[in-house]
Amino acid sequence: MKDLTEDQIERAAKLKGMGTSRKRVEDVRFTQGKGNYVDDIKLDGMLFGDFVRSPYAHARVKSINIEEAMKVPGVVAVLTAKDLEPLSLHWMPTLAGDKQMVLADGKVLFQGQEVAFVVASDRYAAADAVELVEVDYEELPVIVNPFEALKSDVVLREDIKDETSGAHGPRNHHNHIFTWTEGNEAATEQAIDSAEVVAEEMVYYHRTHPCPLETCGTVASMDKVTGKLTVWGTFQAPHVVRTVASLLSGIEEHNIRVISPDIGGGFGNKVGVYPGYICAIVASIVTGKPVKWIEDRMDNLMATAFARDYWMKGRISATKDGKITGLHCHVTADHGAFDACADPTKFPAGFFHICTGSYDIPAAFVKVDGVYTNKAPGGVAYRCSFRVTEAAYFIERMIEVLAIELNMDAAELRRINFIRADQFPYQSALGWEYDSGDYHTAWDKALKAVDYEGLRKEQAQRIEDFKAGKTRKLLGIGLTHFTEIVGAGPVKNCDILGMGMFDSCEIRIHPTGSAIARLGTISQGQAHATTFAQILATETGIPADSITIEEGDTDTAPYGLGTYGSRSTPVAGAATALAGRKIRAKAQMIAAYLLEVHDDDVEWDVDRFSVKGAPERFKTMKEIAYAAYNQAIPGLEPGLEAVSYYDPPNMTYPFGAYICVMEVDVDTGQWDIRQFYALDDCGTRINPMVIDGQVHGGVTEALAIAMGQEIAYDDMGNVKTGTLMDFFLPTAWEVPNYTTDHTVTPSPHHPIGAKGVGESPNVGGVPAFSNAVHDAFRAFGLRQSHMPHDHWRIWKIASDLGLHA
Amino acid sequence: MSKMHIKLTVNGQEHEMLAEPRELLIHTLRERLNITGPHIGCETSHCGACTVDLNGKSVKACTVFAAQANGAEIKTIEGFAGPDGLHVLQDKFREHHGLQCGFCTPGMITRAYRLLQENPNPTEEEVRFGMAGNLCRCTGYQNIVKSIMAAAAEMNTAKEAAE
């Protein structure tokens, strides 16, 4: 690329395009309390819905009596499965090819399951009536452990007990959902059998929950005059919701308008379709009035969208000097009562087979068994691209365990096994083609930034001091080098309920040179209104401040698959850039006409086309836009609009190096994060300020998960962590300041080289925190201890290692 | 249930109403008065999304009855921006990227305002402690703390200039 002139640099700066830390346009509204979230929507005559939920984890529903509830003033209806059955809506399909009860049909399978839906004039009346619905339950044996489920005679899913095959192939037990494999098993077994060193470990990634600050909710409004159904809701994929709503209800798709208003955080919680959405829609159709349903926090934590719950049994083999030769993993995946995982259809375990991570491993094999238990359904990608967090945690723990087995430094073990920069595009043993990477450069930069050698010396001294009785605090150095796989995905193998996972952008340039662009995605805090305008500013030469970005209204936005799995930038971002280029291509013809030269004789110049060799002869985009509307240009249609639907040729593979330095108090189990360094390589950087913000937030969610956050059940299937009293969300007090850093390795197949960053910090953060805890105790013999590492569990590690003696 | 006569002054404007004794202040604000800046995130006073300023104290409106607030002066996020534009806290949250999804922001800013009234010159540690009743799931707090520290500095400079 030619060096820019001073004039060009000045003009480019005015655009606030890609690479600038443009301030967010969203904030003027949000800081004044002028956001418009679903619970802020108020319509004339609106009713309020609330659920009767099961107190039992497994029980037969013998009868439901709504008589007393109906007497509560303001109560309009109480819906049960019997009311939904004639509409065939008492069950609904899940994203994973299973089906799920909308309202309890004969039995309940998890605590908090939806049993009846009360519709009333306001939320107080609805809550009163919920208390008065009488449900007669007969308790059944409860299974909360997936290993027990596979041995138990107790049939959880009676509706499919005789089916020997499910959406993903054969079932080998009545509580078994699927077996899914990838890789070469024989070659992997052979590599492990003949290896000089083998490390084996069970790595458990516990059940947790995305818990966005805004819970899930909807307002459904059926207009009986026009026949049009409008549904506002916390939808990370509004267009798919419209298609599903049409298929389920029989209402033609053009008569359904789905709107995602402002969303108060999603993190995967708002991808799925929940019974509340269906019940509100049905209630609106039945009553002819708008119906609002908003979860409370307990509903949210108990019933919608858990994440993880993967038991990962691993074997990793290496030569005695540390070159990895094979990786084997068998996962027992607890899916709860219904398989409602949010994964592309053909991937029942998501992209778990990215579990060879950043390493050049010649032979690998994974097998995942999905299992039903009496827990809430879900298995969503909590700030994660479909089981990638599980995969990254698995491999980064296995590397640490192998380092112990080899008595080797874990940083060095990683370095000698990294995929080298000259190996990209790299074919992994589990079938992925990694697009680009330079792991050694990132790793060296990270180790140098934290003075890794100095830290190890300090740690050695600390261990000596501890043994000499001079301190009760140990020092842990948590290392992680993660490779993500995001941007789902190519339509040839990625779909959600049959809809290919492309995305889209439609741009209209107005006559005076400002613009509106609409996308198939929906921001939940990721600053799309700010950053997508930056892509367009650079591509079209229209200042970002003159571009409005709109998403989330299916009546106006082009069809897209939504925002999750870090796919907005890799997929919709690409569509945006390409739509911008279509605008520019037409603008070039207009400019050439206005300048009275051939199309090929003008060239792009930041915000204008100028005549080659005569830069003083030019037409700015503003002038071109006006001409598009006020001149008859031979051979060209009037107007300046473009639309692009982008089917990505491959996923993108962001990566990063995270290092956590943690002090651990052996006697209290308390921890203190002394330093956290996060280097991310997300390819081309669109807005560094927003990227840093994503990293801060993602690492904080990782801290929560690794250090205390879980959805825990007792043996009766009672949720023990159903409120924010018990479910750990860190406050400003527990959270450290993070140091962010970056390298830039653009994606070769993406129009602007961007890879996506939203999920990287959660994917990389969890193993960094967990490895720090493990590393603190490595010298005393700790190999593996399950998360979350709350104070009690850390105290227990120390106790089990005899450090309290 | 018999209703109570309740009088509130919210952002300088008086409101009178009849409400059940069990009505929560957050519902009064959001559903009766259409003041939807304060949000509901947990109903157990852990998250702070519903924080309002009540008679000069930060309170969580999800666990206060409207009846308890009878006669009170209440300030919500809607009462911050003036004819001259954004309040300095609003401006600094924007400048330092102290928000993402925006759901916690009204409560955060309302709490930060009271914190700076109580302690105009806080250390970072004091800000972190003073804000610990307000949860954010997006930002990791780093830029929230930065925003509040920057606002404190600017408010102090403005005060010195005025003296």
Side-chain angles (χ1 to χ4, degrees):
Chain A
M1 201 164 62
K2 277 190 300 187
D3 285 339
L4 296 180
T5 64
E6 259 179 53
D7 167 57
Q8 285 172 320
I9 291 169
E10 203 175 300
R11 282 188 280 127
K14 282 185 189 149
L15 297 178
K16 298 188 192 166
M18 283 195 282
T20 56
S21 286
R22 182 183 183 220
K23 302 299 176 203
R24 298 187 352 146
V25 297
E26 294 90 339
D27 294 355
V28 176
R29 285 193 302 121
F30 289 153
T31 56
Q32 298 186 73
K34 297 296 178 197
N36 183 35
Y37 303 89
V38 66
D39 199 16
D40 299 340
I41 292 165
K42 209 173 177 182
L43 302 175
D44 282 346
M46 190 170 76
L47 303 173
F48 199 90
D50 199 355
F51 279 113
V52 176
R53 293 179 180 275
S54 170
Y56 297 109
H58 196 195
R60 212 162 292 290
V61 177
K62 294 170 74 180
S63 66
I64 301 174
N65 183 349
I66 65 169
E67 213 172 297
E68 289 302 311
M70 285 300 292
K71 290 180 191 162
V72 173
V75 170
V76 175
V78 180
L79 302 178
T80 65
K82 278 203 183 84
D83 302 306
L84 300 183
E85 194 172 355
L87 307 166
S88 296
L89 287 173
H90 55 318
W91 288 74
M92 63 178 184
T94 70
L95 296 179
D98 196 359
K99 55 181 181 163
Q100 175 178 347
M101 286 180 217
V102 174
L103 291 171
D105 182 23
K107 70 190 282 197
V108 288
L109 285 156
F110 65 94
Q111 189 183 50
Q113 187 178 331
E114 299 81 359
V115 175
F117 190 68
V118 172
V119 186
S121 54
D122 68 273
R123 56 181 94 210
Y124 287 77
D128 287 345
V130 162
E131 296 291 317
L132 294 173
V133 174
E134 291 166 24
V135 186
D136 189 12
Y137 296 100
E138 177 192 318
E139 285 185 73
L140 296 169
V142 172
I143 307 174
V144 292
N145 178 311
F147 299 99
E148 277 172 28
L150 288 178
K151 289 183 282 186
S152 174
D153 293 335
V154 177
V155 178
L156 301 183
R157 289 288 299 277
E158 287 162 349
D159 58 301
I160 52 168
K161 69 176 189 305
D162 297 325
E163 289 179 22
T164 54
S165 189
H168 306 290
R171 303 170 64 213
N172 58 34
H173 183 271
H174 51 253
N175 295 329
H176 179 249
I177 311 172
F178 64 82
T179 299
W180 180 82
T181 63
E182 186 62 73
N184 186 329
E185 184 168 23
T188 304
E189 291 294 357
Q190 209 265 327
I192 293 171
D193 283 348
S194 59
E196 291 168 336
V197 180
V198 178
E200 191 171 336
E201 200 55 69
M202 172 65 93
V203 179
Y204 178 47
Y205 198 140
H206 59 292
R207 179 174 279 237
T208 183
H209 194 286
C211 194
L213 204 56
E214 177 202 35
T215 58
C216 298
T218 192
V219 175
S221 180
M222 182 74 201
D223 184 328
K224 291 210 166 171
V225 176
T226 61
K228 188 141 182 159
L229 172 68
T230 307
V231 187
W232 292 261
T234 46
F235 307 134
Q236 291 182 233
H239 300 272
V240 183
V241 168
R242 185 187 69 190
T243 303
V244 173
S246 175
L247 292 171
L248 291 182
S249 67
I251 300 171
E252 279 199 85
E253 206 166 351
H254 72 282
N255 277 330
I256 301 177
R257 180 181 187 186
V258 173
I259 301 172
S260 295
D262 289 322
I263 295 182
F267 316 120
N269 194 180
K270 295 166 180 171
V271 172
V273 171
Y274 299 119
Y277 302 157
I278 308 271
C279 289
I281 290 171
V282 172
S284 180
I285 293 171
V286 171
T287 62
K289 291 186 172 173
V291 177
K292 179 187 274 190
W293 166 72
I294 305 288
E295 281 181 322
D296 66 27
R297 179 56 63 193
M298 212 160 170
D299 298 340
N300 177 253
L301 289 172
M302 286 203 311
T304 50
F306 81 90
R308 327 295 193 233
D309 217 347
Y310 255 34
W311 293 89
M312 303 174 283
K313 177 88 179 169
R315 282 179 288 150
I316 188 165
S317 62
T319 63
K320 61 183 183 315
D321 39 8
K323 188 74 191 124
I324 300 170
T325 58
L327 179 72
H328 187 286
C329 181
H330 178 223
V331 181
T332 303
D334 186 339
H335 285 231
F338 308 98
D339 186 7
C341 282
D343 292 316
T345 305
K346 294 183 187 71
F347 298 92
F351 303 153
F352 182 76
H353 46 312
I354 192 70
C355 67
T356 53
S358 308
Y359 312 104
D360 184 14
I361 302 179
F365 177 74
V366 296
K367 178 180 176 188
V368 180
D369 279 298
V371 184
Y372 290 122
T373 61
N374 288 121
K375 298 182 190 170
V380 299
Y382 170 8
R383 206 168 186 145
C384 157
S385 179
F386 314 118
R387 304 292 189 185
V388 174
T389 47
E390 288 91 326
Y393 184 62
F394 170 72
I395 184 64
E396 289 301 299
R397 282 302 309 142
M398 291 309 293
I399 289 283
E400 294 282 318
V401 172
L402 180 62
I404 292 169
E405 200 74 42
L406 290 161
N407 193 26
M408 198 171 173
D409 178 81
E412 184 58 18
L413 178 60
R414 284 180 172 85
R415 185 199 308 276
I416 61 177
N417 285 291
F418 281 144
I419 301 161
R420 297 185 318 272
D422 61 20
Q423 287 177 283
F424 291 93
Y426 171 81
Q427 298 291 332
S428 84
L430 293 174
W432 297 116
E433 184 184 299
Y434 291 29
D435 59 349
S436 64
D438 184 351
Y439 301 162
H440 287 94
T441 299
W443 195 237
D444 290 344
K445 190 174 181 183
L447 296 182
K448 196 171 165 213
V450 300
D451 182 21
Y452 181 67
E453 277 181 35
L455 282 173
R456 284 294 177 204
K457 279 183 196 148
E458 185 188 345
Q459 185 186 43
Q461 182 61 48
R462 183 72 68 89
I463 291 166
E464 278 189 28
D465 289 351
F466 179 84
K467 287 178 175 165
K470 291 183 197 163
T471 180
R472 296 297 287 166
K473 284 189 179 174
L474 296 172
L475 187 68
I477 304 162
L479 304 174
T480 292
H481 191 289
F482 64 91
T483 295
E484 262 250 77
I485 172 169
V486 306
V491 172
K492 63 176 188 272
N493 61 2
C494 287
D495 71 271
I496 298 281
L497 291 173
M499 298 297 115
M501 294 182 75
F502 60 84
D503 226 291
S504 59
C505 175
E506 184 188 282
I507 308 171
R508 289 184 197 172
I509 312 291
H510 306 313
T512 52
S514 66
I516 185 164
R518 296 187 172 101
L519 289 82
T521 43
I522 176 70
S523 183
Q524 308 125 38
Q526 297 93 333
H528 290 179
T530 304
T531 54
F532 285 122
Q534 291 182 256
I535 297 175
L536 279 179
T538 298
E539 292 291 345
T540 66
I542 294 169
D545 289 346
S546 299
I547 302 170
T548 297
I549 300 289
E550 270 189 13
E551 305 171 296
D553 183 340
T554 60
D555 263 11
T556 56
Y559 205 99
L561 270 278
T563 295
Y564 44 86
S566 280
R567 65 184 301 281
S568 296
T569 297
V571 192
T576 304
L578 294 181
R581 286 172 200 180
K582 286 181 184 174
I583 295 283
R584 214 160 82 185
K586 184 169 179 185
Q588 180 167 5
M589 291 188 266
I590 297 171
Y593 171 79
L594 297 173
L595 293 162
E596 297 177 338
V597 295
H598 190 271
D599 292 354
D600 295 339
D601 291 333
V602 293
E603 63 185 351
W604 179 245
D605 176 12
V606 182
D607 57 353
R608 63 191 58 175
F609 279 100
S610 54
V611 176
K612 283 181 185 166
E616 71 286 357
R617 290 185 60 207
F618 62 83
K619 289 289 170 190
T620 64
M621 274 303 285
K622 206 175 164 66
E623 293 169 311
I624 293 165
Y626 196 65
Y629 289 89
N630 88 332
Q631 298 220 13
I633 301 172
L636 281 184
E637 289 178 6
L640 195 51
E641 301 189 3
V643 57
S644 176
Y645 282 78
Y646 184 75
D647 177 8
N650 189 6
M651 312 285 186
T652 60
Y653 296 76
F655 62 94
Y658 287 5
I659 299 172
C660 171
V661 183
M662 187 188 290
E663 302 262 356
V664 177
D665 187 310
V666 168
D667 296 318
T668 64
Q670 286 184 299
W671 43 267
D672 183 37
I673 313 294
R674 195 172 88 181
Q675 183 181 6
F676 196 103
Y677 170 89
L679 179 151
D680 277 279
D681 192 321
C682 58
T684 303
R685 290 155 59 85
I686 297 163
N687 183 324
M689 176 191 82
V690 169
I691 291 171
D692 276 354
Q694 290 288 311
V695 174
H696 295 167
V699 175
T700 302
E701 289 190 340
L703 181 150
I705 295 167
M707 307 309 290
Q709 182 180 90
E710 67 177 322
I711 295 289
Y713 290 82
D714 68 12
D715 291 345
M716 302 286 288
N718 295 306
V719 180
K720 297 197 288 182
T721 51
T723 72
L724 296 189
M725 177 75 92
D726 314 294
F727 186 80
F728 175 52
L729 297 184
T731 70
W733 185 245
E734 282 107 5
V735 172
N737 283 311
Y738 307 107
T739 305
T740 56
D741 203 349
H742 63 276
T743 55
V744 177
T745 314
S747 169
H749 63 75
H750 188 276
I752 56 172
K755 289 187 170 185
V757 75
E759 281 143 2
S760 292
N762 200 332
V763 170
V766 172
F769 288 111
S770 181
N771 284 347
V773 173
H774 284 90
D775 186 68
F777 293 101
R778 176 175 167 175
F780 302 92
L782 179 67
R783 258 174 81 104
Q784 177 63 19
S785 180
H786 297 323
M787 295 190 292
H789 306 297
D790 55 24
H791 297 161
W792 182 80
R793 285 187 177 91
I794 292 177
W795 178 90
K796 186 78 169 41
I797 291 171
S799 177
D800 290 348
L801 293 172
L803 301 182
H804 292 156
Chain B
M1 218 173 289
S2 68
K3 294 191 173 178
M4 297 178 72
H5 179 242
I6 294 164
K7 198 167 153 184
L8 303 172
T9 305
V10 186
N11 301 323
Q13 203 180 327
E14 280 190 21
H15 302 272
E16 287 187 56
M17 68 206 77
L18 288 173
E20 286 183 13
R22 65 174 176 169
E23 183 167 310
L24 294 169
L25 179 59
I26 188 67
H27 292 141
T28 308
L29 293 172
R30 291 180 50 81
E31 302 195 356
R32 282 179 190 272
L33 307 181
N34 284 329
I35 294 171
T36 55
H39 297 131
I40 303 170
C42 71
E43 317 97 18
T44 51
S45 63
H46 287 93
C47 82
C50 63
T51 302
V52 300
D53 205 68
L54 188 142
N55 291 337
K57 283 193 171 133
S58 298
V59 303
K60 292 173 175 173
C62 76
T63 37
V64 173
F65 293 117
Q68 284 174 282
N70 192 16
E73 291 265 349
I74 295 170
K75 186 178 167 100
T76 72
I77 191 67
E78 284 87 348
F80 278 80
D84 304 335
L86 297 179
H87 184 274
V88 58
L89 270 162
Q90 294 170 317
D91 188 49
K92 293 301 169 190
F93 267 68
R94 178 170 186 268
E95 185 180 337
H96 295 286
H97 192 23
L99 65 149
Q100 291 181 27
C101 80
F103 198 77
C104 76
T105 311
M108 281 286 173
I109 290 178
T110 308
R111 170 59 199 148
Y113 165 77
R114 182 50 52 194
L115 175 69
L116 296 186
Q117 299 296 310
E118 291 163 353
N119 180 359
N121 208 359
T123 62
E124 182 187 327
E125 205 174 38
E126 285 166 343
V127 169
R128 286 184 175 274
F129 189 77
M131 296 303 296
N134 290 67
L135 297 174
C136 170
R137 293 288 288 141
C138 300
T139 65
Y141 304 105
Q142 189 157 331
N143 289 342
I144 289 178
V145 173
K146 210 167 153 184
S147 306
I148 297 169
M149 298 291 283
E154 190 163 313
M155 286 158 86
N156 289 334
T157 310
K159 210 189 301 171
E160 276 163 30
E163 276 164 11

